[in-house]
Amino acid sequence: MDASVLGIRLASGVVSPLVRKLFRQEGAGAGLVDRPHRISSYLAWREKRGLDAADLRKLADRLVEEALAAPGEQPLPPGEEAGVSAALAATLHALGDLALSDVEAVRLGPQAFARRLRAAAPHPGLSRDAELFHARLVDLACLHILNFFTQRSTFVAATLVEQSRLHAETIAKVDELLTRVPRQDGRDAAFEARYLDYLARRHGTLTIFGLDLAPGSSRWPLDTAYVSLEVSAARGAGGGTRTGDREGALPSAYSLPADRLLAGHHRVLLRGEAGSGKTTLIQWLAVSAARNPGAGTVPFVLPLRTLTRHGERLPAPRDFLAGSPLAGEAPGGWEGRVLRDGRALLLVDGIDEIPEAERDRARDWLADLITACPGNRWLVTSRPTAVRQDWLAAVDFSEVTLTPMNPANVRAFIERWHAAADHTPPEYREQLLDSVAKKPDLARLATNPLLCGMICALHRERRGFLPSGRKELYAAALSMLLHRRDRERGLRLPDLAEEPQLQLLQRLAYWLIRNGRTEMDRSRAEALIEDALPAVPAAGVLGGAPAVFAHFLERTGLLRAPTEDTVEFVHRTFQDFLGARAALDEGGVGELTGHAEDDQWEDVIRMAVAQGRPRDRAEIIRALLARNSNRSVLLAYASLQYATELDPALRAEAEAAVRHLLPPRSIEEAKELGRTGPLVLELLADPATASEEDALMAVAAAGETLSELAIPYLAGFRNKPSPAVHHALVSLWGRFDARKYAREVIEHLRHDPHALQILSDSQADALHTFAHPPGLIVRDTVSARALSALCSRVQVVSLALFHLGELSDLEFLREQASIEVLEILRCPGLADVTALYGLPMRVARLRMSVPGLHEVIASWPRLRSLELYSPYPWSACGLAPGAELESLVLDTPAVHLEGLGRHSGLRILNLGHRWRPSDPADWAELSRLDQLEELAVSDEVLSDLVEHLRLPSLRTLRLYGDEVLAPDLEERLAQRLPETDVESFYQVYEQ
């Protein structure tokens, strides 16, 4: 380091001899006899050897004299020389008070060493100029002191000894660490492979309602049965969405395939109605992870109804496998190691299936596990109203809703069901598809996977005749299950009528409902049957209670045994339906309405209205209205659709009561209102006069009706100027017929550039004529054919292409004269981008490694914003002459800045974590950006940046890296850029 940097021009030949006088003559060796070998042991005035206080003052006088005699502006006012000399002598004398060795001093560096020395000395008490001159002299002396230490023969030997000590300490610490960390040896890997194989087989099949396969196969392969549904979230839903990598984060409002949900956020609360496919999705995620062991993800399927059957504490990681055949076989601590490494996928099924009083305990259990083992992925499922909207917000969970099956999903399900069914005439499939397409009530029922399976089974069973409502559908399904299986197998069993079986089964269902459970012990079930048998003598033909229980479990298909000693209904829907029958039989209307605020009783109450006599229905609805809570009023209104006969005055009273809840005060209230069915449409806000807030609520409610009658109503909002309303309309597209909804709603919207997501070929094929050029987001579920055909019909203003694996070129964009915004992320098959040449692009965000891309970018004269992730070097000279960048974000191996300075309007510049200046001209180029407000660079270039960069308009400096800035660098940065906030890039973009 040149001494002139410190502000004093003194040659080393002058300073070094003076500094050398401070220290006595060295001895041989490493100086180990003086332990520890402190700087004080080298000083010449210790033990009165060679230098006393007077000599130290003379040496200080000489240093001051030489510094003042050096060429340049005088740094000290006349008359203050003596004060500076005295202060310098006192500071140098403090060398004897430093508890440092020469090796430690050199490790500190001259500036930090000087700060330590000044701190050990008395305050100089000088004027401002004299104090600054004194500080510079101390800095200069310390520089030469450290240089002197490195030249001593004892320094080299002492350094080697110090290194040896450090190496020995490091080895000892590593050995100690290895003894504390459990070995993750081959036993872990072997068990993990076995466990993943077990999961893939255990969850790799489904029981599809009403479908028996050929002998020897009682289950339907998951790969064949699974229909990928979608999840959606309203704007603002969820907690803690990360915004760093826009590709990997979930936006504030979105719709995407359910099986890709956890790719966007690592903690998700998934809501869905009974039978909507929540448990099937959990199976799919578990099997997908288990079949890909190379990814290192280990799924744990945790059904809360089983884990809390007896009110037990929720399990610690070591008990995650309790109840499975592999329990107790895992190497000690394996589960904990998986969680600690962040490799676990925890699939917690059924918050709604445990009593409400136990749910807070379940939330605490989740929070404790997340705190102890961060970094894992979590999916928690629940019915929509079981827990409040922000129930898991404190632990950073996003909240989404599993959307009903759209028409394409329904068609796929019906086709797969019939493909798997044996001996089903092919015309049955076409008849059913035609019925679902033409009958709105049937179509609305079919949007639930469970109900869709029922409809398929009943359609085949009844040779094309289908029940008209939900109550009739459930009753017919129960009848089919109780009789069909054994009759079709030709089994010779005692003839038992349907009603005695229902009487016994409904007692099991009502016990579960009353106790807030979906699962009971086998012994409890047999005891309930035994108590009821005297009142149901017809069931005695099967034998005692164990025989009757075995018949229900093995023959009817209504019960199943998740473990050897437990039993549950094959689906919660049947439990609620039969429980409602039991409540009506026992005259329990008061008990039913007394649980109006309990989400576990909602469907029970509705099914009681559906199955009750007119007097029962009126009593239930009147009692719900009398409670006068929002929830009970909505439940009364929702029950009207099941009341085939009801006093008109009471119906009008229910409709009037619900009007007091309008407009809804939250999106959740709106959705709950919409689930009551299409009759709510006439109560919602008038599209012509609704405010933006009322319009959002009305759109949410109408979307939940899932009725084609909602489309004309929703179309009334298409001319609203609100982007939020437009976004809400777009998010509902997948719930209705793609062509009809596109024709009446989508094609009339003036779209925000990133508002319209295309998630299927049917949606792409439905679009033809827009009032205004739209902005489209096309995801991996759309084929290249459908995308190409769409772009041949429609001019777009912006286009985002995400994860399109089969895309090889962009020829479909060659004639896009209106396109201004282009995003292409993770399209690995893309090899040709020449079609982009000369397009009127203003904004581009590109992550690709296609040769020729830079030449294409150079052909965009209107470019204003560029975000580029590429394996090829980038040069500012490659931009088109007319391009005037306002924002530039780069992640490339090298960045050449020559010519960047002409972009005087550039306000945001991110050079990437790999950029390093090639020569001082780079700093000069950056200093020409006199409007730059935000700059992101590596923290490794910060020292040069402080020295060379001149940017008076810079307000934010973001640094890649997490190193703490050295105090002196931080001080220089504050002096050079006093108006600039310095932030860690990772903190800004990842939290």
Side-chain angles (χ1 to χ4, degrees):
M1 182 184 293
D2 189 347
S4 64
V5 173
L6 297 172
I8 299 174
R9 300 179 180 275
L10 284 178
S12 296
V14 174
V15 181
S16 293
L18 296 175
V19 167
R20 193 177 297 273
K21 291 182 179 181
L22 292 170
F23 303 98
R24 59 185 174 81
Q25 294 296 314
E26 64 177 314
L32 299 182
V33 294
D34 182 17
R35 294 188 180 181
H37 38 281
R38 305 296 184 198
I39 292 175
S40 58
S41 64
Y42 301 143
L43 298 177
W45 61 87
R46 287 300 176 106
E47 301 178 10
K48 302 187 182 300
R49 289 184 290 186
L51 195 69
D52 55 19
D55 294 327
L56 190 60
R57 174 58 186 270
K58 291 178 182 177
L59 188 148
D61 290 342
R62 177 73 184 280
L63 276 171
V64 172
E65 181 184 347
E66 293 289 348
L68 292 175
E73 183 179 351
Q74 289 299 305
L76 194 65
E80 296 195 31
E81 298 89 343
V84 172
S85 295
L88 180 58
T91 302
L92 293 176
H93 193 274
L95 283 167
D97 300 323
L98 291 181
L100 288 173
S101 70
D102 53 353
V103 175
E104 291 169 336
V106 172
R107 190 183 299 142
L108 277 177
Q111 294 173 336
F113 178 58
R115 285 197 297 273
R116 294 284 290 270
L117 181 58
R118 285 195 294 270
H123 191 274
L126 303 171
S127 69
R128 175 60 183 162
D129 288 341
E131 185 175 344
L132 181 61
F133 182 56
H134 166 262
R136 289 174 177 174
L137 279 174
V138 172
D139 289 345
L140 177 62
C142 287
L143 176 66
H144 285 271
I145 287 170
L146 296 189
N147 184 61
F148 169 74
F149 285 160
T150 62
Q151 294 173 345
R152 292 172 61 90
S153 61
T154 56
F155 178 81
V156 176
T159 302
L160 292 175
V161 171
E162 181 72 12
Q163 288 178 345
S164 298
R165 288 175 178 167
L166 289 175
H167 287 165
E169 288 180 13
T170 301
I171 292 170
K173 290 176 181 178
V174 170
D175 287 344
E176 176 66 19
L177 184 62
L178 290 174
T179 62
R180 294 183 181 183
V181 176
R183 288 174 36 191
Q184 189 169 349
D185 55 16
R187 291 178 300 159
D188 277 12
F191 176 79
E192 200 164 294
R194 186 178 173 209
Y195 172 70
L196 294 178
D197 179 65
Y198 162 76
L199 277 184
R201 288 184 286 105
R202 167 69 177 81
H203 297 289
T205 56
L206 290 174
T207 299
I208 298 300
F209 182 86
L211 180 59
D212 293 321
L213 300 182
S217 175
S218 61
R219 306 275 286 176
W220 202 8
L222 183 63
D223 291 339
T224 304
Y226 183 70
V227 174
S228 179
L229 302 181
E230 292 177 11
V231 297
S232 63
R235 185 175 298 273
T241 301
R242 297 184 187 278
T243 59
D245 183 355
R246 289 179 51 215
E247 175 192 4
L250 297 182
S252 59
Y254 55 90
S255 176
L256 76 165
D259 46 22
R260 289 190 52 236
L261 175 60
L262 289 174
H265 198 289
H266 285 181
R267 299 174 194 167
V268 176
L269 173 61
L270 174 69
R271 301 178 188 265
E273 298 287 353
S276 60
K278 302 186 296 295
T279 300
T280 303
L281 174 61
I282 277 184
Q283 286 188 239
W284 178 263
L285 293 172
V287 169
S288 298
R291 289 178 177 171
N292 184 22
T297 300
V298 179
F300 294 100
V301 180
L302 304 172
L304 290 185
R305 60 182 175 274
T306 300
L307 298 174
T308 63
R309 184 170 71 248
H310 300 297
E312 301 98 328
R313 291 178 59 85
L314 286 158
R318 65 176 178 274
D319 299 318
F320 278 179
L321 303 189
S324 82
L326 300 183
E329 295 188 19
W334 169 75
E335 298 92 344
R337 288 192 289 277
V338 170
L339 267 72
R340 190 166 56 244
D341 293 344
R343 297 192 298 120
L345 169 59
L346 296 114
L347 304 166
V348 182
D349 193 17
I351 285 290
D352 57 290
E353 294 181 350
I354 61 175
E356 186 173 3
E358 297 179 16
R359 292 175 193 168
D360 285 345
R361 185 159 56 91
R363 181 180 55 193
D364 294 341
W365 169 73
L366 286 169
D368 286 345
L369 280 175
I370 290 169
T371 301
C373 304
N376 298 288
R377 291 185 293 163
W378 292 80
L379 177 67
V380 179
T381 71
S382 171
R383 285 196 186 186
T385 58
V387 292
R388 66 177 186 271
Q389 184 172 356
D390 60 349
W391 194 66
L392 290 175
V395 281
D396 194 29
F397 271 70
S398 287
E399 295 192 11
V400 299
T401 300
L402 194 58
T403 61
M405 293 198 297
N406 59 38
N409 297 143
V410 174
R411 171 175 286 274
F413 187 99
I414 293 173
E415 289 176 345
R416 292 182 183 189
W417 193 99
H418 285 82
D422 289 332
H423 311 302
T424 300
E427 61 268 21
Y428 279 19
R429 180 189 63 188
E430 299 306 319
Q431 288 174 4
L432 182 56
L433 288 170
D434 185 63
S435 295
V436 170
K438 293 181 178 178
K439 297 180 179 179
D441 291 341
L442 184 62
R444 190 167 183 270
L445 285 176
T447 55
N448 177 304
L450 173 73
L451 297 180
C452 195
M454 285 188 190
I455 289 169
C456 291
L458 288 168
H459 185 265
R460 184 180 71 166
E461 172 81 9
R462 299 186 170 199
R463 295 174 172 81
F465 170 76
L466 284 170
S468 58
R470 183 166 299 215
K471 170 202 166 183
E472 292 77 11
L473 182 65
Y474 292 159
L478 286 168
S479 178
M480 180 181 66
L481 283 176
L482 292 175
H483 291 290
R484 179 183 62 86
R485 291 165 59 96
D486 291 337
R487 186 176 68 245
E488 290 186 354
R489 290 188 173 108
L491 297 178
R492 305 180 107 184
L493 294 170
D495 187 17
L496 181 60
E498 180 180 322
E499 185 60 29
Q501 297 183 71
L502 291 175
Q503 286 292 328
L504 296 175
L505 287 166
Q506 71 186 35
R507 298 193 185 209
L508 303 183
Y510 204 28
W511 186 94
L512 288 168
I513 291 167
R514 280 173 157 170
N515 289 275
R517 303 289 178 186
T518 58
E519 190 176 285
M520 71 170 70
D521 290 344
R522 180 188 184 115
S523 59
R524 169 73 66 179
E526 290 181 354
L528 289 170
I529 293 171
E530 185 172 3
D531 290 343
L533 275 176
V536 191
V541 300
L542 298 176
V548 175
F549 174 80
H551 169 80
F552 289 151
L553 185 62
E554 298 166 10
R555 303 265 65 90
T556 67
L558 267 174
L559 299 180
R560 64 184 174 194
T563 65
E564 289 185 2
D565 62 342
T566 61
V567 65
E568 64 184 4
F569 281 87
V570 70
H571 199 277
R572 175 76 174 270
T573 296
F574 295 120
Q575 175 183 308
D576 292 346
F577 186 81
L578 290 169
R581 269 182 54 112
L584 291 170
D585 285 353
E586 294 183 12
V589 170
E591 183 177 14
L592 284 170
T593 55
H595 287 88
E597 309 302 320
D598 188 339
D599 62 276
Q600 291 198 6
W601 287 72
E602 279 186 16
D603 281 352
V604 182
I605 295 171
R606 295 182 189 187
M607 289 300 97
V609 172
Q611 298 177 81
R613 295 168 298 178
R615 184 178 60 190
D616 296 327
R617 295 170 188 155
E619 187 177 349
I620 293 172
I621 292 175
R622 192 170 286 113
L624 290 173
L625 293 175
R627 295 182 66 87
N628 201 32
S629 69
N630 289 355
R631 189 185 188 102
S632 64
V633 169
L634 281 174
L635 188 52
Y637 184 74
S639 299
L640 295 181
Q641 63 182 303
Y642 301 108
T644 53
E645 180 183 344
L646 190 67
D647 179 6
L650 182 56
R651 187 181 295 273
E653 183 182 346
E655 291 174 350
V658 84
R659 284 191 177 94
H660 293 301
L661 303 180
L662 296 172
R665 289 167 294 184
S666 69
I667 292 296
E668 283 306 311
E669 277 190 20
K671 288 183 175 181
E672 189 173 354
L673 188 64
R675 294 185 192 111
T676 62
L679 70 163
V680 78
L681 293 172
E682 63 190 56
L683 301 177
L684 296 176
D686 182 353
T689 59
S691 66
E692 179 182 31
E693 186 68 20
D694 289 348
L696 286 171
M697 300 302 170
V699 168
E704 285 297 313
T705 67
L706 302 177
S707 169
E708 296 298 303
L709 298 174
I711 295 180
Y713 175 77
L714 291 167
F717 294 96
R718 66 195 188 191
N719 293 323
K720 286 285 183 183
S722 165
V725 173
H726 285 197
H727 185 97
L729 290 171
V730 170
S731 70
L732 297 177
W733 187 11
R735 299 191 174 197
F736 301 96
D737 177 79
R739 289 185 181 276
K740 185 176 181 180
Y741 196 84
R743 185 171 61 253
E744 296 191 29
V745 180
I746 298 295
E747 293 180 345
H748 296 270
L749 299 175
R750 183 184 292 276
H751 292 288
D752 176 86
H754 295 291
L756 183 55
Q757 290 197 71
I758 311 297
L759 298 172
S760 66
D761 282 7
S762 62
Q763 289 184 339
D765 294 339
L767 298 174
H768 287 83
T769 305
F770 282 84
H772 312 280
L776 306 179
I777 299 175
V778 184
R779 294 192 176 274
D780 51 357
T781 46
V782 179
S783 68
R785 174 210 61 78
L787 174 60
S788 180
L790 171 62
C791 289
S792 69
R793 301 188 303 270
V794 175
Q795 286 285 311
V796 300
V797 68
S798 76
L799 183 65
L801 307 177
F802 296 154
H803 299 272
L804 297 174
E806 65 176 61
L807 199 63
S808 60
D809 62 58
L810 302 173
E811 285 300 312
F812 53 86
L813 293 179
R814 193 175 291 277
E815 304 302 323
Q816 286 287 335
S818 300
I819 190 168
E820 296 184 347
V821 180
L822 178 66
E823 295 190 63
I824 302 178
L825 301 176
R826 302 289 173 84
C827 297
L830 191 58
D832 183 359
V833 294
T834 55
L836 301 177
Y837 196 87
L839 292 179
M841 214 68 67
R842 295 176 62 86
V843 177
R845 181 173 186 250
L846 309 170
R847 184 190 294 271
M848 60 176 68
S849 57
V850 182
L853 176 62
H854 294 281
E855 289 76 7
V856 166
I857 295 173
S859 73
W860 294 338
R862 301 176 61 194
L863 191 64
R864 297 297 179 266
S865 176
L866 175 63
E867 191 168 338
L868 180 62
Y869 305 85
S870 168
Y872 303 111
W874 182 86
S875 172
C877 294
L879 292 169
E884 296 179 2
L885 289 182
E886 298 172 2
S887 175
L888 177 62
V889 177
L890 298 169
D891 185 3
T892 60
V895 178
H896 303 293
L897 297 184
E898 183 181 356
L900 185 64
R902 74 173 180 83
H903 296 269
S904 57
L906 193 65
R907 294 180 298 103
I908 300 173
L909 176 61
N910 183 334
L911 293 173
H913 65 96
R914 291 180 283 183
W915 177 76
R916 301 294 183 272
S918 56
D919 55 53
D922 284 350
W923 295 114
E925 200 74 41
L926 291 176
S927 295
R928 294 175 59 193
L929 303 173
D930 54 10
Q931 296 186 43
L932 193 67
E933 299 173 3
E934 180 180 317
L935 174 65
V937 293
S938 167
D939 58 3
E940 295 185 17
V941 306
L942 188 56
S943 181
D944 286 347
L945 180 149
V946 171
E947 190 65 32
H948 299 292
L949 194 61
R950 304 289 190 276
L951 285 175
S953 62
L954 193 67
R955 294 297 174 264
T956 304
L957 176 62
R958 290 174 174 154
L959 301 176
Y960 286 97
D962 53 6
E963 294 296 328
V964 178
L965 297 184
D968 61 314
L969 186 57
E970 190 172 5
E971 183 179 345
R972 291 166 58 199
L973 184 60
Q975 292 175 352
R976 174 53 58 88
L977 302 171
E979 303 296 324
T980 302
D981 294 327
V982 181
E983 301 171 342
S984 166
F985 187 88
Y986 295 110
Q987 290 177 349
V988 170
Y989 286 93
E990 288 187 2
Q991 292 187 5

